[in-house]
Amino acid sequence: MNHNHLRVFSGRANRPLAERIARNLGDSLGNLRVESFPDSETSVRIEEDVRGRDVFIVQPTCPPVNENLMELLVILDAFKRASPARVTVVLPYYGYARQDRKDQGRVPISAKLAANLLTAAGANRVLTMDLHAAQIQGFFDIPVDHLMAVPVFIQHIRQSGLMDQNVVFVSPDEGRVKMTLEYQKKLGGELSIVDKRRSSPTETEQANLIGASLEGKVAIMFDDMITTAGSICGAAQVCKMKGAREIHVFATHGVLCGAAIHRLREAPIERICITDSIPLPAEKAIPKITVLSIDYLLADAIRRIHDNESISALIRSV
C-alpha cells in the first residue's frame, strides 16, 4: 500500500489525537507551525512541500469553538494556496452542530454557516464523527464521510464483560432510540426508553420509562455528546428509581461545560465512557470517566479515503 502522497497535519485543538492517528498510519505529523500574534490573530506556516499531496487536517471545533474554527479556516487557506492535490478536513467533533435549524423566529442556522465557511476556505472533503444531527451532511456541497463511534464502544463493551450480566440498553430520550437500537442489534439485551418532556423553555422533566423493566439489571445508555450533563443525569436518575443495579453511559463527545462535572460526580452513574474526539483537561478527569481513543478508527478511514475504498465497511464489519 502506497502512502507516499498522504500527509496528516494538525491544528492546536487536539494535537495528541492527530499524533496518534499519524502513528497508526506509520508516519509522523506534517510540519505545520500555528501560533498567535500578540493581538491574538492566528499565524500559520506550512513548513514542508505539499504540492500534489493528499492532505488531511485534524482539527475538532471544540471549545473554545470560535478560536478553533477560525484557526482551521486560516490553516485551510494556507493549504489552498500551497497546491495540494486534495485537502480533507478531519473534524472529530463538529462545533455549532446543535444550531441546525430555525426552531424560532429570527435565528441563524449556524451549522450551515460553518459548512459554508469550511468549503469557501478550501476544504475538498470532510471526515467527521457522530454529528448531532445526521442531516448536517446535507449542508455541505462537498463529500462528507460520517463515522460513528459504534466500533469503539462495542469493542470496549465486549471486552469489559458487561454483556455477561443482565443488560438493558436505555435510550435517554426519544431522539436516541435509533442509535440505541443499533447497539442492541449488535450486542443483544433488552431495550427501554426514557420519556423526556419539556416542562419549560429551559428545563426538561424525565419521569417515565417505556419498555423493559430495569429492576436489578445493568442499564447502558448512549448519547452523541455530554454538554452540561443535565439530560443524561436526569435519565440516570430515572433508571435508578426504576431499580437499575448499575448505570453505564457511553457518549462520543465529552464537551463537559458548565456544571457537567459536578452533575456527573453526583449522579448515580457507575462509569462514563467518552472518546478523545475532544481533549479531556486534567481538572475534568474524574475517576468515573474513561476515555477511549478513536485514533485507529480515524486512521483507517483516512487510509480508505486515500485509497478510494469504502468507509461504510468500517461500520458493517462490527
Side-chain angles (χ1 to χ4, degrees):
M1 192 176 293
N2 182 6
H3 296 299
N4 289 341
H5 297 289
L6 187 160
R7 205 75 172 108
V8 178
F9 294 84
S10 177
R12 294 178 289 185
N14 197 345
R15 189 177 174 88
L17 173 60
E19 288 172 343
R20 289 192 291 273
I21 290 170
R23 278 200 300 273
N24 271 273
L25 291 166
D27 202 357
S28 58
L29 278 182
N31 297 314
L32 178 67
R33 191 183 71 207
V34 184
E35 299 172 334
S36 296
F37 286 115
D39 63 355
S40 79
E41 289 182 5
T42 300
S43 166
V44 170
R45 178 177 168 79
I46 307 161
E47 298 191 316
E48 62 180 79
D49 183 15
V50 294
R51 186 175 295 273
R53 292 272 185 152
D54 193 3
V55 168
F56 293 82
I57 303 166
V58 181
Q59 176 83 341
T61 49
C62 52
V65 178
N66 294 338
E67 287 182 26
N68 286 328
L69 176 58
M70 189 64 204
E71 181 175 295
L72 177 56
L73 297 175
V74 176
I75 291 170
L76 277 169
D77 190 69
F79 277 99
K80 181 172 69 173
R81 300 172 191 280
S83 303
R86 179 176 61 180
V87 178
T88 300
V89 175
V90 182
L91 282 169
Y93 171 74
Y94 184 67
Y96 284 108
R98 282 170 297 179
Q99 298 186 49
D100 62 334
R101 65 196 183 283
K102 287 190 70 171
D103 55 355
Q104 54 185 307
R106 299 176 297 280
V107 297
I109 304 179
S110 303
K112 169 62 173 167
L113 173 62
N116 289 345
L117 290 170
L118 292 170
T119 306
N124 302 120
R125 192 179 194 99
V126 170
L127 172 61
T128 189
M129 176 168 277
D130 277 322
L131 291 168
H132 186 64
Q135 62 266 26
I136 289 172
Q137 295 170 79
F139 291 169
F140 288 88
D141 295 322
I142 56 177
V144 176
D145 292 300
H146 184 209
L147 295 179
M148 293 186 289
V150 173
V152 177
F153 288 155
I154 284 182
Q155 182 185 52
H156 182 78
I157 290 168
R158 284 173 175 160
Q159 291 175 348
S160 68
L162 274 175
M163 294 310 298
D164 296 337
Q165 304 178 63
N166 200 347
V167 166
V168 178
F169 292 103
V170 180
S171 176
D173 56 49
E174 294 87 342
R176 296 294 148 200
V177 173
K178 188 176 179 181
M179 176 196 291
T180 307
L181 275 169
E182 282 293 314
Y183 288 96
Q184 188 210 15
K185 286 176 188 174
K186 294 180 185 297
L187 291 166
E190 298 177 284
L191 178 72
S192 279
I193 304 162
V194 174
D195 180 20
K196 183 172 81 170
R197 305 195 180 191
R198 190 162 289 282
S199 55
S200 75
T202 57
E203 294 181 1
T204 56
E205 206 172 82
Q206 293 124 318
N208 301 314
L209 196 70
I210 304 164
S213 168
L214 290 180
E215 192 64 45
K217 299 176 184 177
V218 174
I220 302 179
M221 290 192 288
F222 299 94
D223 214 338
D224 62 319
M225 67 176 74
I226 300 176
T227 307
T228 61
S231 293
I232 204 73
C233 289
Q237 291 288 356
V238 172
C239 292
K240 195 68 177 176
M241 285 190 299
K242 298 298 181 180
R245 178 165 53 84
E246 286 183 11
I247 301 163
H248 298 259
V249 171
F250 290 80
T252 306
H253 310 298
V255 183
L256 304 177
C257 58
I261 293 299
H262 172 73
R263 285 176 176 147
L264 292 172
R265 189 181 280 118
E266 300 298 317
I269 298 172
E270 188 80 13
R271 192 169 48 134
I272 305 125
C273 288
I274 58 174
T275 76
D276 55 355
S277 64
I278 297 173
L280 181 67
E283 65 272 15
K284 296 181 180 180
I286 59 175
K288 62 169 68 174
I289 293 180
T290 299
V291 179
L292 306 175
S293 188
I294 52 174
D295 54 4
Y296 70 90
L297 187 61
L298 288 171
D300 199 359
I302 288 170
R303 187 184 294 112
R304 287 170 180 269
I305 290 169
H306 179 67
D307 292 336
N308 296 313
E309 296 176 358
S310 171
I311 297 292
S312 57
L314 287 174
I315 305 298
R316 290 200 303 267
S317 63
V318 176

